[in-house]
Amino acid sequence: MFSLSEGCGCVSFRGGRRNRSLGDDSSSCRSSEIEQEVPKKLGRRLLDGQCNVRALVPFLKFWKRDDVSMTKAERTMKAAILIQQWYRRYLARMEVRRRYTWTIFQSIEYAGEQDQVKLYNFFNALLSHMRDSSGRVSSERTSRTASVLEQVFSEESDEGGGVDETAPPKLSRGPDLEFPLQRKDIDLLIEAFRKKKNRFEIYSTFQHRLHAKHVALILKEATQVLKRLPNINVATTSISSQITVCGDLHGKLDDLLVIFHKNGLPSPENPYIFNGDFVDRGKKGLEVFLLLLACMLAFPGGVYLNRGNHEDLIMNQRYGFIKEVHQKYRHNAERLLKLIEGVYRWLPLGTIINNRVFVVHGGISDTTDLDMIRSLERDKYVSLLRPPVTENCAPGSEVIDKVEWKQVFDILWSDPQTVGGCVANALRGAGTYFGPDVTTSFLQRNKLSFLIRSHECKPGGYELLHNGNVITIFSASNYYELGSNKGAYLKLCGNSLERQFVQYTAAVSRTRRLTFRQRVGLVESSAMRELHNLIMSARRPLEAYFRSMDVEQSGYIPISDWCAAMEETTHLGLPWRMLKDKLVRTDPDTRRVRYMDTFEFTANKLARKADTQTVVDTLYRNKTSLEAIFKILDKDNSGYITLEEFSEACQLLGKYMPNPMTQEQLVDICRLMDINKDGLVDLNEFLESFRLAEKNLEGDDEEDT
């Protein structure tokens, strides 16, 4: 009988008995973890006769041709080779599916960031130059004088009555922390945060939640500590002999707890660098953020925190963290968010280890100057999406601010590329792509050995580029979907800073039960749902594009035209020809696609409901001003802004705006504001688009807390 080797997909003889061998590690067909998973089941099905006749056609042809002339051993070897070839083709198909699924997720993610930046840049320029009759910025944005330190925090209950902040919280409201924080308080926090909601207790969530007073105290204490730190942290392994670097966590508390379980809690002897993007997208961003700040307070010298591009309330408004805070602390959310904003402003921008390794969230550009970054006032960058407006009217003062702002923007938003040079990051709409030559020049100029950054999800949790001089670390496992990627952290050991990568997966009990094919299928289904939602949001222009190419009105168009329409409308840069079988049906005779299938999705019942917000969800402090701007743009008082009205108004405002826009850019901005894609922008759509910009501008002139 045949038997399967444990180490590869080969088949061996064992004297009529089916046995598993350990395999020879020196074999040329040594298998990876994935390769060891599938051949056991495939081999059994093939050899036990459980496969259908179609799967055995190659075998039948093989036996018919050669079974008379070949010996038993030759038949065995040819069968083994045939199975191995089939299995390798199977793995190749799975890898192709995995790669295009990954491309879908990243393209949709970056397209969202690009739209965010475009909209914000426009509204930022508009608001910055809308003055009242006295020539000053509207006082509504500068009248917030209440000190957060004097505010009273409420109980998070249905009643929500005011509670004196000086009074101790009720015992049933989560862990009772004592300040200054110590190890026992960290243990209490971890125990409270990791408890899951009991479905039999209506108020179990409130019972395990940290009181708003304690949240505020952690944020205030952390702000005071961060204020004393330089713009670029200085870390060393002289005491600890090692240091651990973690990448994006994005609200994944399970991943943070896995790291602490595997690598130990922070301490001066076991220091950590957390490289930004602690919140957004995940469901427990607030818990992750508070736990990291608490560890920084409880273990001085044990935790270094870098700012990421998501430590920004504008990004938080779009990607979920602000909504999370409102859900968990609905009576105290606005006050806590002001404290969180204060922490953001004082987070260091990077860390240098042993004067040899630069750790930063995004990357660098060809103009990155560490001396300038060290000397700038980082607290004035409330949002990185908007350069600070100086009150100084001296010639050149605004230019200096923009140069500094670009320094910060580039190190938090940039990505590496394999080719040389430094170009604008068109995919994200912000930052740069920097090549190996830029990396080499930067390292030589600053006498550094290599660069560690995060900012990008990687299938294995880490990636080495530029001859090992750029290391990407991403610590949020299952980022896109269960089984989509591993998380990782990097340990630098000794004075030589020897690299040790540690990979892990949270929820391992669930992922272990899935085969490689099941994991790929699960991630692929999730990616296709996200893609379908995006396609449906662009249905009107996409359908018009299809019909314009269908001259005969047959319902079918050539594949190349369908691919061109998809890319021209979505701008996602996806392999549409490869995805066509997932989205549309093709006529086998004419090889033309039935384009209306693009808007049908077989799994639409499983599609997730998109997060939607109405104007009621947001109380605009500048609502009166916004309505006035809308009325100015709505020239015919129809209640809608057309593209012509929008363009005309922008041309009139052009002399007051720093960067006049082209007609194509105006069309793009108007398209982004047109949420329901009906070709018109009503007041609700205008306010909803404006909200992200306005949210940050409210706090620009506020004093530090």
Side-chain angles (χ1 to χ4, degrees):
M1 276 302 283
F2 293 112
S3 67
L4 286 170
S5 158
E6 189 73 23
C8 67
C10 296
V11 180
S12 61
F13 250 170
R14 287 293 181 269
R17 226 175 30 163
R18 197 184 314 165
N19 295 320
R20 293 182 185 175
S21 65
L22 294 177
D24 184 3
D25 285 340
S26 63
S27 170
S28 61
C29 53
R30 187 182 305 162
S31 299
S32 64
E33 172 193 351
I34 297 172
E35 290 174 332
Q36 294 172 11
E37 182 177 325
V38 180
K40 302 172 185 176
K41 295 182 179 179
L42 291 176
R44 290 195 190 99
R45 292 181 65 195
L46 283 171
L47 300 174
D48 293 343
Q50 296 177 16
C51 287
N52 56 32
V53 175
R54 191 174 184 180
L56 295 175
V57 167
F59 288 96
L60 296 176
K61 291 181 178 179
F62 165 72
W63 298 122
K64 183 176 180 180
R65 185 178 67 250
D66 292 329
D67 86 348
V68 176
S69 59
M70 288 194 306
T71 65
K72 190 174 183 180
E74 287 175 334
R75 291 197 201 108
T76 302
M77 288 303 299
K78 285 209 170 186
I81 292 171
L82 192 59
I83 293 174
Q84 189 178 65
Q85 289 176 346
W86 179 88
Y87 174 59
R88 285 176 175 173
R89 287 196 296 268
Y90 163 82
L91 285 182
R93 290 194 300 271
M94 290 295 102
E95 180 63 15
V96 169
R97 288 175 60 189
R98 188 192 67 79
R99 289 191 182 188
Y100 74 62
T101 297
W102 192 266
T103 303
I104 291 172
F105 275 126
Q106 283 202 329
S107 297
I108 293 175
E109 177 185 0
Y110 294 165
E113 290 183 349
Q114 187 181 66
D115 287 351
Q116 169 88 5
V117 173
K118 284 181 181 178
L119 271 177
Y120 190 81
N121 286 343
F122 170 76
F123 281 120
N124 168 43
L126 186 63
L127 271 184
S128 298
H129 295 81
M130 290 297 293
R131 309 283 174 166
D132 59 21
S133 58
S134 64
R136 302 182 61 185
V137 179
S138 174
S139 61
E140 292 181 49
R141 292 216 318 263
T142 59
S143 61
R144 301 170 67 183
T145 57
S147 172
V148 179
L149 296 176
E150 300 173 357
Q151 293 175 352
V152 176
F153 289 88
S154 305
E155 287 285 356
E156 288 301 324
S157 62
D158 291 337
E159 294 79 12
V163 178
D164 188 352
E165 189 185 3
T166 60
K170 296 181 180 180
L171 295 178
S172 61
R173 298 293 184 243
D176 191 6
L177 305 181
E178 296 180 4
F179 290 81
L181 297 178
Q182 298 178 7
R183 167 65 186 266
K184 62 181 181 64
D185 298 301
I186 302 301
D187 293 336
L188 286 174
L189 272 181
I190 292 176
E191 184 63 25
F193 288 165
R194 71 188 301 176
K195 286 182 178 177
K196 298 185 183 295
K197 183 177 179 180
N198 186 346
R199 61 181 178 176
F200 298 107
E201 288 188 53
I202 299 177
Y203 299 105
S204 61
T205 302
F206 294 122
Q207 290 176 354
H208 301 312
R209 184 168 296 159
L210 191 62
H211 191 279
K213 172 191 173 180
H214 289 323
V215 175
L217 286 174
I218 291 175
L219 295 171
K220 293 173 188 175
E221 293 290 330
T223 302
Q224 296 305 314
V225 171
L226 292 171
K227 282 182 178 181
R228 299 193 290 267
L229 298 178
N231 291 345
I232 298 180
N233 269 319
V234 178
T236 179
T237 59
S238 58
I239 299 176
S240 61
S241 75
Q242 70 173 29
I243 192 166
T244 303
V245 183
C246 300
D248 299 30
L249 287 166
H250 278 300
K252 300 275 191 176
L253 179 64
D254 288 345
D255 288 301
L256 180 58
L257 297 182
V258 168
I259 294 172
F260 285 163
H261 174 74
K262 295 173 73 70
N263 200 56
L265 284 174
S267 69
E269 294 76 29
N270 186 32
Y272 283 82
I273 298 174
F274 291 95
N275 201 22
D277 278 12
F278 316 123
V279 300
D280 278 339
R281 295 196 173 97
K283 296 181 179 180
K284 294 197 174 183
L286 186 58
E287 288 84 349
V288 169
F289 192 50
L290 291 176
L291 185 54
L292 291 178
L293 294 177
C295 287
M296 182 187 70
L297 297 174
F299 309 117
V303 174
Y304 300 90
L305 301 178
N306 292 343
R307 187 173 184 174
N309 66 311
H310 279 263
E311 276 65 67
D312 185 316
L313 289 185
I314 302 303
M315 297 296 290
N316 298 160
Q317 188 73 30
R318 181 178 185 119
Y319 291 102
F321 182 56
I322 287 182
K323 182 178 180 181
E324 177 189 342
V325 175
H326 276 278
Q327 287 176 340
K328 294 177 178 177
Y329 293 94
R330 59 184 181 275
H331 301 302
N332 300 285
E334 290 300 327
R335 286 166 284 186
L336 292 179
L337 286 171
K338 290 308 300 176
L339 292 173
I340 290 171
E341 182 186 90
V343 176
Y344 286 171
R345 295 170 66 166
W346 287 103
L347 282 170
L349 303 175
T351 302
I352 291 182
I353 307 172
N354 288 3
N355 294 320
R356 291 176 51 197
V357 181
F358 184 41
V359 184
V360 70
H361 179 72
I364 56 174
S365 71
D366 53 358
T367 61
T368 298
D369 184 344
L370 292 186
D371 291 333
M372 182 179 293
I373 293 173
R374 288 187 178 100
S375 61
L376 58 80
E377 299 175 16
R378 70 179 186 270
D379 61 299
K380 67 184 179 183
Y381 295 96
V382 181
S383 171
L384 299 176
L385 295 179
R386 178 174 185 259
V389 178
T390 179
E391 295 294 333
N392 189 357
C393 297
S397 59
E398 187 175 355
V399 175
I400 294 175
D401 278 348
K402 287 187 176 180
V403 170
E404 288 184 352
W405 167 72
K406 187 178 185 305
Q407 291 285 323
V408 180
F409 210 99
D410 285 348
I411 64 175
L412 299 192
W413 277 84
S414 297
D415 296 308
Q417 63 180 3
T418 55
V419 298
C422 186
V423 297
N425 193 329
L427 193 60
R428 291 186 187 270
T432 68
Y433 284 121
F434 61 97
D437 54 334
V438 176
T439 298
T440 301
S441 175
F442 173 81
L443 295 177
Q444 291 176 349
R445 188 169 62 250
N446 294 281
K447 299 179 180 179
L448 297 170
S449 299
F450 56 93
L451 171 74
I452 300 176
R453 42 93 60 180
S454 302
H455 196 43
E456 286 183 290
C457 181
K458 300 298 177 183
Y462 71 93
E463 183 181 65
L464 278 70
L465 284 175
H466 299 178
N467 296 320
N469 290 328
V470 174
I471 301 174
T472 298
I473 287 291
F474 195 85
S475 299
S477 66
N478 305 312
Y479 179 61
Y480 293 125
E481 182 57 82
L482 182 66
S484 63
N485 67 285
K486 293 181 179 179
Y489 58 86
L490 171 61
K491 296 182 68 173
L492 300 176
C493 304
N495 293 329
S496 62
L497 299 180
E498 179 185 352
R499 307 172 185 179
Q500 295 182 7
F501 296 96
V502 180
Q503 297 173 298
Y504 57 87
T505 302
V508 68
S509 59
R510 285 185 290 166
T511 55
R512 274 181 179 171
R513 291 195 295 264
L514 301 176
T515 65
F516 176 56
R517 181 168 187 162
Q518 288 172 328
R519 287 201 299 269
V520 171
L522 182 63
V523 177
E524 184 183 43
S525 298
S526 180
M528 297 309 297
R529 281 196 299 266
E530 296 293 336
L531 181 59
H532 178 71
N533 291 337
L534 191 144
I535 290 172
M536 292 304 294
S537 68
R539 175 166 184 166
R540 185 184 293 270
L542 191 56
E543 187 173 342
Y545 203 128
F546 289 152
R547 295 191 184 282
S548 68
M549 292 185 291
D550 183 14
V551 180
E552 301 174 354
Q553 300 298 312
S554 63
Y556 291 85
I557 59 176
I559 295 175
S560 57
D561 289 348
W562 180 83
C563 294
M566 295 298 292
E567 182 57 33
E568 185 68 24
T569 306
T570 63
H571 305 288
L572 291 177
L574 295 175
W576 295 109
R577 189 173 292 272
M578 184 180 298
L579 291 171
K580 72 177 187 333
D581 293 334
K582 299 286 183 181
L583 297 172
V584 292
R585 281 170 284 186
T586 305
D587 187 295
D589 298 325
T590 63
R591 300 299 299 166
R592 294 159 68 90
V593 300
R594 182 177 168 181
Y595 55 80
M596 290 306 293
D597 289 350
T598 307
F599 310 111
E600 299 176 3
F601 188 54
T602 56
N604 55 5
K605 293 182 179 179
L606 301 176
R608 300 190 182 99
K609 294 182 180 179
D611 290 335
T612 56
Q613 292 181 325
T614 63
V615 181
V616 180
D617 296 329
T618 306
L619 299 177
Y620 296 97
R621 291 181 179 273
N622 282 348
K623 186 177 179 182
T624 302
S625 300
L626 298 178
E627 290 176 342
I629 294 174
F630 182 85
K631 290 177 181 178
I632 293 173
L633 298 177
D634 182 17
K635 188 176 180 180
D636 59 359
N637 295 320
S638 63
Y640 296 93
I641 300 175
T642 65
L643 177 60
E644 291 74 18
E645 292 172 334
F646 187 74
S647 301
E648 183 179 347
C650 288
Q651 288 170 1
L652 292 175
L653 290 170
K655 60 182 179 180
Y656 300 106
M657 304 202 30
N659 298 308
M661 295 183 177
T662 65
Q663 181 68 20
E664 183 179 353
Q665 290 172 324
L666 293 175
V667 171
D668 198 25
I669 291 294
C670 198
R671 176 185 62 82
L672 293 175
M673 289 192 294
D674 183 13
I675 296 174
N676 63 3
K677 307 302 178 186
D678 61 355
L680 300 171
V681 178
D682 61 23
L683 179 60
N684 284 354
E685 290 173 325
F686 183 78
L687 292 175
E688 183 65 11
S689 301
F690 208 97
R691 169 172 51 85
L692 301 178
E694 180 64 12
K695 186 72 177 178
N696 186 57
L697 288 172
E698 287 178 351
D700 283 348
D701 301 309
E702 185 175 359
E703 295 293 328
D704 297 336
T705 57

